[in-house]
Amino acid sequence: MNTHATHNSSDHHPHVMSVQMNLVIFAALMVLLVLTVVAAYTITGGWGILVAMVIATVKAALILAYFMHVRFGSKLQLLFAISAFFWLALMLGITLLDYISRGWLSIDGK
Amino acid sequence: MSTHVHSSSTAHSVAPNSSSDEPLNYLTNGHTVKSWLLTLDHKRIALLYLAGVVFFFLVGGVMASVIRMELMTPGGDVLYSPDAYNRVFTVHGVVMIFFFLVPSVPGVLGNFLLPLMIGARDLAFPKLNLLSWYIYIFGGVSALLIVLLGGIDTGWTFYAPFSTTFSNSLVVPAAIAVFITGFSSILTGLNFVVTTHTMRAPGMTWGRLPLFVWAIYATSLIMVLGTPVLAVAIALIGVERAFGVGIFDPALGGDPILFQHLFWFYSHPAVYIMLLPGMGVINEIIPCFARRPIFGYKAMAGAMLGIAVLGFVVWGHHMFVSGQSMYAGLVFSFLTFFVAVPSGIKVFNWTSTMYKGSVNFDTPMLYAIAFIGLFTIGGVTGLMLASLGVDVHLHDTYFVVAHFHYVMVGGTVTAFLGGMHFWWPKMTGRMYPEIWGKLSAIVVFIGFNLTFFPQFLLGYLGMPRRYYEYPGEFQVLNVLSSAGASILAFGFLMPIVYFALSLKFSPKAGPNPWRATGLEWETSSPPPTENFASTPVITTEPYNYSPEDSERAPWDPFGSTTPEEVAHVG
Amino acid sequence: MSAESATLPVGTIVHGHGAESSHGSHHGSGHGHDPNVAHQFDDAAQQHESVLLGMWSFLATEVLFFGGLFCAYLVYRTTSPLAFTLASQHLNVILGAVNTGVLLVSSLFIALAVRESQLGNGKRVNLYLLGTILLGAVFLLIKGYEWTTDYHEGLIPFAKNFQIPEHNLDEMAHNATPAGRFKLFWVLYFFMTGLHGIHVIIGLVMFGIVMYVVKKRTQTGKSYSNLVEVTGLYWHFVDIVWVFLYPLMYLIHPITGGGGHH
């Protein structure tokens, strides 16, 4: 079916997001910005980076889903967006695997 | 024919002012230089790419010849200095990988065939397609200028800190040239991905796509997702070298292993950028010349996607003897063995397709069969290298060189030549001389094995790669290899000559000389500019062949069947 | 499969081309190919989906492009957290926050510009685009101010006056952290924010061009919404990169601690 979806002009209805909705998302983003700064000053210790990254991820997700219309666009756009971050995670995760496992063996240089 | 096209391709004229009886095709539709250099037609751009890759193949080939000449004797007597030798093999690697292998099958056959195979008028972004070619040529010409101005000596891998701190060659310009060329690859991949998603004709479902399209799609995913990481790695090398800041140099606080991680995150998948399109070509040739539907269509498509994805998680097997952690090495070794599963599926399915088929040993099929054998050897020796303990012995020896040449030359180049013979009638409207084609396939096969099999032995005996002098006991094998290289060179030059001559002297091919299925054979040869007279509608499954349907003698050693006869059979 | 092809509205698909494809690329004669649709596409929907996917593919490339730098950041921060903490404390948290806000507002403007382009209000589209260009310029000005300050403090690793502050050196020596990693933070900071800045500049130039095209096409009645939407996607991506850069560069913990120097 996906072959024809794009050929069928009758389902060509770009989603128009209301002004109100745009403002709500924007407000949420600003709140998160304030939150991340406040958190940076108040949370000490190892949790800080985690909180900061979670907030940044939520912000990015809001921008992707609403401002970039992933929520209303085709599934393909969602797939493309997810693959990009999935591949990024592969690169970061596997590279980090090397660095954190260095020194696990008591052999010099391994 | 199985696939239904609304009107025959000869029933229309392309331009109203066409004076002759013959309708205009993409080759005759415009003769000026401008109509070629500014063309937006994917078929013409494919031929532009063909000119580019043949040129760079010759440049890389000359470098290979110099290397093999140097290695005929244990001493350094052709190039006189190890430094010159370093530059020559670096140019060979950079040119062959970035300017021949990566753009070869996608740029030429992918460009030409993708829209035809899915029933589209063109790629989704024709201007971007032309831009890709210009970036490619710009990058390639810059690289050659750099060679003329002194070259680089880092090997194609640009390993830090040698490249950033110690090398006295033109690393930064070369890095910029590779960086720029990367964008050509990215834009091509982007174009193919989008085209495959949105430009398929009605009825061309994912389950009916020719496997060549699946291959090109899987390749394009790697191009889009991998190439930018190489670009960043190369850019960081440039920054470190230009400003003397320690990103990778341990003396300045950097970590050289990080460069290898970033580099191989692209460059291992890049092996599959070079290989997968070749596999796609073989997928098309084998069923046609065995007259049987491809065995295990879904497994074949899945295997190619699997290779593309798995190819991204095995890069550390290039780094077993670097400072990488032993645990990471273990994981990378383990994952590498998994890539053998989809690769094995493909080899088994190709052979299963031929089983009980009515096999014709025409030139494309000879190349395809050579591919299967050579790729299998290349793949299995890859598994030897993926074993941690064995790799310690074989790392950076000629065993590795032989391994990747079996995959890259025995695999990709063989497939490229097979594909060129298979689709030459479609691209030019002319047959090639079959007897010469068969001869070239046999010469290439013999020359290839004579060149690279001795290198397995050399590597196993301990001869390191990238050395221009070696102990005398390695000479016999090196001379064998060099002798093979001259046969191989002859084999590669043959098609260039007879393809060129065929444009004038060979008989016309007709729309479908191989009686192949697939949309590209439904239109005339050469195809009209807009590919199809009307948008085709696909109602049947791909590879609709049957052995009983084969009306040709299964074994035709002297190529006595003329193309006209073949065309008439169809 | 066959049921699927049977339900195809075959007529509508072939309709666009059967007769007129013989015109090659110059259509527009009579029973028209939509002038807003390029020759290789069948209809506006196919074109819309294609250009969107094209931009998404490009953004996937961009994610991995910046990703390589984030990878370097991750490795060096994980292996030398102290050097990164000390270096980060020289950045101005408030200016970074303001700049984040500036980019978020510009993203809102772009979202609204896309909305107006879908509704066909060319003038409002250009108003929002102009606002975005101004905000982008403000972002760059603030960034430029920060970079100038960094230069005066001797923190630009590409400049001759780069010098690691004495108290930072002491603390790193005390904790067996290689001082080169302090410099590495600044290399990555300038490389990443610089690359991001280049993306901002490219965005602003693009929006300038888009404004011109929108104005032209408003007069001729041609469609411009795809263009606005695609460039908008790019801008949101640039915003997302900054959303991650800000905490990673500016908000390394503990902000006020850092071993009591200052």
Side-chain angles (χ1 to χ4, degrees):
Chain A
M1 284 314 285
N2 43 13
T3 316
H4 329 119
T6 55
H7 284 254
N8 192 348
S9 46
S10 63
D11 77 355
H12 181 44
H13 289 302
H15 185 269
V16 182
M17 214 164 91
S18 69
V19 176
Q20 201 180 356
M21 191 68 175
N22 275 310
L23 289 174
V24 168
I25 299 302
F26 171 71
L29 287 169
M30 293 308 268
V31 169
L32 286 168
L33 169 62
V34 173
L35 208 61
T36 196
V37 177
V38 171
Y41 280 101
T42 48
I43 302 174
T44 49
W47 292 102
I49 174 77
L50 194 70
V51 171
M53 282 299 99
V54 166
I55 293 177
T57 308
V58 172
K59 277 158 86 178
L62 283 176
I63 295 174
L64 278 163
Y66 292 95
F67 282 175
M68 297 173 88
H69 290 200
V70 169
R71 244 201 93 183
F72 318 110
S74 67
K75 289 223 170 66
L76 269 180
Q77 288 164 34
L78 179 67
L79 185 72
F80 277 42
I82 288 174
S83 343
F85 288 101
F86 175 73
W87 254 260
L88 178 63
L90 278 185
M91 176 169 64
L92 299 181
I94 298 178
T95 306
L96 198 61
L97 178 81
D98 170 22
Y99 284 89
I100 55 176
S101 62
R102 290 205 193 155
W104 283 4
L105 284 178
S106 50
I107 304 171
D108 275 352
K110 295 290 165 194
Chain B
M1 287 318 294
S2 50
T3 357
H4 175 57
V5 175
H6 279 294
S7 62
S8 97
S9 47
T10 46
H12 69 93
S13 66
V14 173
N17 57 353
S18 169
S19 53
S20 70
D21 290 346
E22 232 172 89
L24 281 178
N25 60 52
Y26 83 101
L27 291 170
T28 52
N29 190 2
H31 291 280
T32 56
V33 174
K34 191 181 150 200
S35 76
W36 280 92
L37 291 183
L38 293 181
T39 184
L40 298 180
D41 183 349
H42 65 101
K43 300 181 287 300
R44 285 191 167 207
I45 294 171
L47 293 193
L48 292 178
Y49 265 108
L50 181 62
V53 298
V54 168
F55 173 72
F56 286 110
F57 182 71
L58 291 175
V59 172
V62 167
M63 296 299 158
S65 310
V66 174
I67 293 170
R68 282 319 321 166
M69 278 202 293
E70 173 60 66
L71 294 177
M72 275 166 72
T73 56
D77 35 23
V78 172
L79 289 163
Y80 295 105
S81 86
D83 202 37
Y85 182 77
N86 291 347
R87 283 162 211 251
V88 168
F89 75 66
T90 301
V91 175
H92 171 69
V94 168
V95 166
M96 283 300 202
I97 288 170
F98 294 116
F99 302 109
F100 173 71
L101 285 166
V102 168
S104 62
V105 180
V108 181
L109 297 174
N111 247 324
F112 193 90
L113 293 168
L114 178 58
L116 283 169
M117 281 181 161
I118 62 175
R121 278 184 297 279
D122 208 319
L123 292 173
F125 308 114
K127 285 176 194 154
L128 221 51
N129 197 20
L130 184 64
L131 181 65
S132 301
W133 183 75
Y134 274 103
I135 295 174
Y136 158 62
I137 291 297
F138 179 78
V141 169
S142 315
L144 290 184
L145 280 179
I146 290 159
V147 172
L148 294 177
L149 293 173
I152 64 160
D153 60 355
T154 61
W156 79 281
T157 48
F158 292 97
Y159 267 19
F162 177 69
S163 61
T164 58
T165 309
F166 302 105
S167 170
N168 290 315
S169 58
L170 301 169
V171 174
V172 172
I176 293 171
V178 170
F179 182 88
I180 290 170
T181 312
F183 284 95
S184 163
S185 202
I186 289 169
L187 294 180
T188 302
L190 181 159
N191 216 339
F192 287 173
V193 166
V194 175
T195 303
T196 313
H197 273 293
T198 64
M199 305 294 280
R200 284 168 290 131
M204 183 56 87
T205 56
W206 285 92
R208 290 175 181 166
L209 282 179
L211 286 168
F212 180 76
V213 176
W214 277 103
I216 287 291
Y217 181 77
T219 307
S220 305
L221 288 183
I222 306 175
M223 285 174 161
V224 168
L225 295 166
T227 317
V229 180
L230 174 78
V232 157
I234 294 283
L236 287 172
I237 287 279
V239 168
E240 169 157 343
R241 192 175 166 90
F243 296 103
V245 291
I247 303 169
F248 300 125
D249 187 345
L252 299 167
D255 178 12
I257 309 293
L258 178 66
F259 174 75
Q260 298 185 20
H261 276 301
L262 294 177
F263 179 81
W264 288 113
F265 181 83
Y266 163 77
S267 293
H268 188 73
V271 171
Y272 301 112
I273 292 183
M274 303 176 223
L275 185 63
L276 279 169
M279 290 178 157
V281 169
I282 304 305
N283 287 333
E284 298 300 311
I285 294 176
I286 299 266
C288 177
F289 291 89
R291 310 307 302 174
R292 286 198 64 207
I294 192 96
F295 184 90
Y297 174 90
K298 281 183 185 162
M300 289 298 242
M304 287 188 288
L305 285 183
I307 288 172
V309 175
L310 278 175
F312 270 102
V313 294
V314 300
W315 75 81
H317 65 220
H318 295 268
M319 302 157 58
F320 286 157
V321 298
S322 72
Q324 179 182 246
S325 97
M326 199 80 100
Y327 289 93
L330 206 65
V331 172
F332 279 126
S333 172
F334 187 70
L335 289 171
T336 303
F337 278 90
F338 269 100
V339 186
V341 176
S343 308
I345 287 174
K346 296 208 68 74
V347 169
F348 287 128
N349 285 8
W350 286 322
T351 39
S352 306
T353 305
M354 285 158 68
Y355 179 65
K356 287 197 174 171
S358 171
V359 180
N360 289 311
F361 292 95
D362 287 312
T363 311
M365 190 61 162
L366 288 183
Y367 274 112
I369 292 169
F371 174 96
I372 298 176
L374 300 178
F375 167 69
T376 305
I377 295 175
V380 171
T381 50
L383 292 182
M384 292 170 70
L385 290 166
S387 317
L388 284 164
V390 181
D391 186 66
V392 173
H393 175 59
L394 296 175
H395 190 88
D396 265 350
T397 68
Y398 260 85
F399 193 91
V400 178
V401 176
H403 153 69
F404 69 72
H405 279 88
Y406 263 79
V407 178
M408 300 287 83
V409 184
T412 308
V413 178
T414 306
F416 181 56
L417 283 171
M420 282 309 294
H421 285 86
F422 187 52
W423 283 293
W424 186 255
K426 180 54 62 186
M427 296 170 91
T428 64
R430 302 276 182 166
M431 293 306 292
Y432 58 88
E434 182 60 41
I435 185 78
W436 285 99
K438 284 200 175 84
L439 200 61
S440 80
I442 292 164
V443 170
V444 164
F445 184 78
I446 292 171
F448 175 81
N449 280 298
L450 189 57
T451 310
F452 292 106
F453 200 83
Q455 298 185 4
F456 278 127
L457 305 177
L458 281 169
Y460 193 76
L461 294 172
M463 177 164 161
R465 64 192 287 204
R466 294 176 172 171
Y467 278 41
Y468 96 131
E469 290 176 319
Y470 55 82
E473 68 253 35
F474 292 140
Q475 188 172 12
V476 173
L477 289 168
N478 268 303
V479 168
L480 278 178
S481 179
S482 294
S486 44
I487 298 175
L488 186 60
F490 183 70
F492 284 148
L493 289 176
M494 279 166 66
I496 298 179
V497 174
Y498 64 70
F499 273 147
L501 291 176
S502 78
L503 291 176
K504 201 163 170 58
F505 300 111
S506 281
K508 294 206 165 149
N512 191 0
W514 310 118
R515 297 192 307 119
T517 65
L519 277 182
E520 78 270 31
W521 302 105
E522 304 278 323
T523 185
S524 52
S525 304
T529 300
E530 74 281 7
N531 293 348
F532 300 98
S534 59
T535 304
V537 176
I538 294 85
T539 53
T540 53
E541 306 308 306
Y543 306 109
N544 213 336
Y545 295 104
S546 71
E548 296 74 27
D549 187 32
S550 166
E551 291 173 34
R552 293 183 62 195
W555 171 236
D556 182 20
F558 303 108
S560 53
T561 320
T562 66
E564 281 90 345
E565 284 173 307
V566 180
H568 279 300
V569 176
Chain C
M1 285 291 174
S2 58
E4 185 181 85
S5 50
T7 56
L8 271 178
V10 176
T12 52
I13 292 155
V14 181
H15 152 77
H17 304 287
E20 69 195 32
S21 61
S22 57
H23 295 300
S25 55
H26 52 272
H27 19 239
S29 55
H31 51 157
H33 204 100
D34 183 345
N36 290 318
V37 178
H39 81 97
Q40 69 271 26
F41 298 115
D42 285 341
D43 52 38
Q46 189 189 20
Q47 172 163 292
H48 182 242
E49 181 74 3
S50 296
V51 295
L52 283 188
L53 282 183
M55 183 44 91
W56 277 106
S57 310
F58 179 72
L59 295 184
T61 287
E62 288 273 45
V63 167
L64 272 298
F65 192 66
F66 279 97
L69 296 167
F70 279 108
C71 188
Y73 175 95
L74 178 70
V75 163
Y76 291 132
R77 177 167 172 178
T78 309
T79 47
S80 309
L82 178 66
F84 272 52
T85 307
L86 294 178
S88 165
Q89 283 164 2
H90 295 275
L91 289 171
N92 189 326
V93 177
I94 299 305
L95 281 183
V98 170
N99 249 351
T100 314
V102 167
L103 278 191
L104 288 176
V105 178
S106 76
S107 254
L108 171 71
F109 277 15
I110 288 299
L112 292 172
V114 169
R115 177 189 145 80
E116 295 301 341
S117 79
Q118 287 166 335
L119 299 173
N121 302 328
K123 280 196 173 154
R124 286 203 202 161
V125 172
N126 275 358
L127 217 57
Y128 283 123
L129 289 183
L130 187 67
T132 305
I133 291 175
L134 292 176
L135 286 169
V138 169
F139 175 89
L140 289 174
L141 281 176
I142 294 178
K143 208 80 219 117
Y145 171 76
E146 287 185 74
W147 285 335
T148 321
T149 319
D150 296 334
Y151 176 75
H152 291 306
E153 290 178 25
L155 292 171
I156 297 186
F158 312 115
K160 286 214 168 62
N161 72 345
F162 179 83
Q163 204 171 9
I164 303 174
E166 208 61 46
H167 61 278
N168 289 152
L169 267 180
D170 291 345
E171 183 155 0
M172 283 188 286
H174 198 251
N175 290 285
T177 287
R181 292 292 162 91
F182 183 92
K183 192 172 180 182
L184 250 176
F185 173 89
W186 292 101
V187 172
L188 288 172
Y189 169 78
F190 281 104
F191 199 113
M192 293 171 91
T193 56
L195 190 65
H196 179 263
I198 291 172
H199 277 76
V200 170
I201 293 170
I202 292 172
L204 299 190
V205 172
M206 270 187 348
F207 286 136
I209 298 169
V210 172
M211 282 178 71
Y212 174 77
V213 174
V214 168
K215 196 175 172 208
K216 273 247 146 156
R217 293 199 182 163
T218 312
Q219 288 156 1
T220 56
K222 280 182 80 179
S223 163
Y224 47 78
S225 57
N226 281 354
L227 189 63
V228 178
E229 194 171 355
V230 164
T231 43
L233 283 178
Y234 170 86
W235 189 257
H236 293 306
F237 167 79
V238 171
D239 192 7
I240 287 177
V241 172
W242 184 260
V243 160
F244 283 101
L245 276 181
Y246 174 59
L248 286 177
M249 292 297 175
Y250 291 76
L251 303 181
I252 299 185
H253 300 264
I255 281 180
T256 44
H261 300 283
H262 275 290

